[in-house]
Amino acid sequence: MKTSVILIVAIFINTSLLLSQPILVLAEKINSWVLIAIELTLLFVWFAVKTVRELRNDLEIDLNDLEVFVISGKKKVSTKNK
């Protein structure tokens, strides 16, 4: 969750740098293609983090309900080796 929020904020800030004229006037020396490349990289990283998190959640194995040795009845089982 923290990584996604940070990436979304970074994407928003980068987009505002691209779209707002007053900030671009202050940052004249920054090439707009660099900002576009950074934004595309941020979008790719956000998508990769989201995909890996969903994949990890989908592939998680839950063995809580697994009953390997189920013994029914009132018979006591002896574990002593004779």
Side-chain angles (χ1 to χ4, degrees):
M1 179 70 179
K2 291 182 247 178
T3 307
S4 295
V5 170
I6 291 171
L7 287 172
I8 289 173
V9 167
I11 290 169
F12 178 75
I13 290 171
N14 199 17
T15 303
S16 66
L17 281 174
L18 284 172
L19 299 178
S20 67
Q21 187 64 26
I23 294 176
L24 277 178
V25 169
L26 294 173
E28 281 180 347
K29 296 182 181 182
I30 299 175
N31 190 356
S32 62
W33 288 107
V34 172
L35 295 175
I36 291 171
I38 291 171
E39 184 160 357
L40 290 175
T41 304
L42 288 170
L43 283 169
F44 175 75
V45 169
W46 175 72
F47 178 74
V49 166
K50 181 180 163 196
T51 304
V52 168
R53 183 182 301 124
E54 289 175 359
L55 184 65
R56 185 175 50 193
N57 288 339
D58 289 342
L59 294 179
E60 186 176 322
I61 298 173
D62 183 21
L63 299 176
N64 289 337
D65 296 332
L66 181 65
E67 296 178 2
V68 178
F69 299 106
V70 178
I71 300 172
S72 60
K74 295 184 179 183
K75 222 189 225 186
K76 289 195 174 189
V77 177
S78 175
T79 58
K80 293 180 183 177
N81 292 332
K82 292 184 180 180

